[in-house]
Amino acid sequence: MKAGTALIAAGAALGLGAAVWDTRRRIARVERRYSVEGRFVEARGVRLHVVSRGSGRPVVLVHGALTMLQDFAASPVPDMLARDARVILVDRPGYGFSSRPRRMGTPDEQARVLREALHRMGVERPVLVGHSFGATVVLAYASLFPDEIAGIVFASGVAFPVPRADLAPMMLPALPGIGPALYEAMLQPLYRLLVPAMVALCFAPQRVPDAFRRAVPTEMMLRRDHMAATAEDLMALVPAVAAMSPRYPRIDVPVAVIAGERDQIAYPRFHGVPLAETLPDATLRIAPGVGHMVQHARPDLIVEAIEEIWERARPGASLSGSAAAERLHRAPDPSHP
């Protein structure tokens, strides 16, 4: 009996070891063929990876948890803006090719890193566009440094402390002391299955576009530091927005809130809708039949929101108070003329 148990345990250990080895081999192969474009900017101890395209008024695109700047790059948004804007894509700390020298899961701290990087790049009064956790970062930026920006687009973001127990497995690599080692020793093969399922949930009910699969392969998201950054962000998110939310009514720059009606990650009724009602100068667009990844499913709404902020940010042109409330609307579905 004991010998049989030992054999089963040994077989399981060998199987796990083989799965870990195969996952690492796949990651290394993808990393070797992944070219790095753009530049690196030192900001508050972080080596931040940024890519700039086009020229004109600055627009900064900030990705969410799990992904990297190639998420926005693979969407139609940058090309739609290229004629009129300098589009700046950013790998948040720990994601893609940016470093993360210490734990920095709070949106406030990441907003300060982004601010210093933009200052070093000479970027003035940008429109900040954030998706998912990136939306929470640009919301923090607007609450801390409103005089330095033209406005923000808050797309599919989390704004209020609504716990999500179903995301707990994604937080394991952030367990103090043991998280990274546990991830490399045991969890990486499991996450090879979990990450594609999470990506599919983010895009649902739409399918995952081929452009996204090519630009953000699963293996890039499975790297230890990348996954640790995701886990830290998710673990810090609820207490961070609880601390941030009292500052929202003081955000007096134009804010465009965009949400997918069928978002299963950042439910609009808990985040986008009440945020738009809280802010003094906000518009709300709800995209019918769209999930979490609005930058892929409805890039036109993001571009429309940016252009509106440019217009509203002109001296004397900004909406406020009840005028902003009148702009809350349900975005038309282009598939139903």
Side-chain angles (χ1 to χ4, degrees):
M1 184 72 171
K2 290 182 179 179
T5 302
L7 284 173
I8 292 172
L14 285 172
L16 177 61
V20 169
W21 176 85
D22 184 56
T23 301
R24 291 181 182 174
R25 178 184 63 82
R26 290 168 181 262
I27 292 171
R29 185 176 61 193
V30 169
E31 283 184 315
R32 283 194 299 270
R33 68 169 188 257
Y34 215 93
S35 60
V36 182
E37 62 172 316
R39 60 183 286 201
F40 292 91
V41 180
E42 295 289 335
R44 296 178 68 89
V46 176
R47 189 168 181 255
L48 204 68
H49 177 224
V50 299
V51 174
S52 295
R53 299 178 182 175
S55 61
R57 292 170 288 191
V59 175
V60 182
L61 305 180
V62 185
H63 67 84
L66 193 60
T67 64
M68 50 202 293
L69 69 77
Q70 281 79 5
D71 173 8
F72 259 119
S75 78
V77 173
D79 287 343
M80 294 172 70
L81 290 169
R83 290 175 298 179
D84 303 309
R86 177 189 179 191
V87 180
I88 301 167
L89 302 102
V90 180
D91 271 332
R92 290 192 297 107
Y95 293 84
F97 297 98
S98 291
S99 70
R100 189 162 172 140
R102 59 191 180 278
R103 294 180 77 95
M104 50 173 59
T106 68
D108 280 2
E109 186 167 7
Q110 294 188 33
R112 291 185 173 96
V113 171
L114 178 60
R115 177 189 185 229
E116 182 167 317
L118 294 178
H119 284 184
R120 289 178 178 270
M121 295 171 66
V123 177
E124 297 181 358
R125 290 188 58 77
V127 174
L128 304 180
V129 181
H131 173 256
S132 196
F133 194 95
T136 310
V137 171
V138 304
L139 184 64
Y141 198 123
S143 72
L144 294 169
F145 315 111
D147 295 339
E148 299 179 12
I149 57 176
I152 68 169
V153 178
F154 180 91
S156 304
V158 169
F160 296 100
V162 180
R164 290 291 301 272
D166 56 322
L167 297 180
M170 298 295 294
M171 303 179 196
L172 293 176
L175 291 175
I178 65 170
L182 181 67
Y183 177 69
E184 284 209 313
M186 298 181 60
L187 297 178
Q188 234 173 17
L190 173 63
Y191 279 49
R192 243 172 80 183
L193 303 175
L194 182 60
V195 166
M198 280 296 302
V199 170
L201 179 66
C202 287
F203 276 94
Q206 285 73 45
R207 60 180 293 275
V208 181
D210 291 338
F212 179 90
R213 293 185 190 277
R214 290 191 298 268
V216 193
T218 298
E219 289 79 9
M220 291 297 290
M221 294 182 276
L222 286 174
R223 293 173 301 159
R224 185 192 67 182
D225 292 347
H226 191 111
M227 191 56 66
T230 294
E232 287 177 13
D233 286 355
L234 293 177
M235 187 173 284
L237 183 56
V238 169
V241 294
M244 283 171 52
S245 57
R247 305 199 303 256
Y248 298 162
R250 300 195 297 270
I251 297 175
D252 59 359
V253 297
V255 177
V257 178
I258 302 175
E261 179 186 44
R262 297 180 63 182
D263 188 341
Q264 300 179 67
I265 304 298
Y267 294 101
R269 68 183 183 276
F270 296 141
H271 299 289
V273 173
L275 177 64
E277 293 171 347
T278 300
L279 296 170
D281 188 359
T283 62
L284 173 64
R285 294 165 173 83
I286 301 292
V290 170
H292 188 60
M293 305 296 275
V294 292
Q295 71 275 35
H296 293 272
R298 292 296 307 273
D300 57 304
L301 295 183
I302 292 179
V303 174
E304 175 186 281
I306 293 167
E307 292 173 343
E308 183 179 273
I309 288 173
W310 281 336
E311 178 64 23
R312 293 163 63 201
R314 289 188 302 108
S318 178
L319 297 174
S320 62
S322 61
E326 294 172 3
R327 298 301 307 273
L328 307 186
H329 67 276
R330 181 182 176 88
D333 185 346
S335 64
H336 293 86

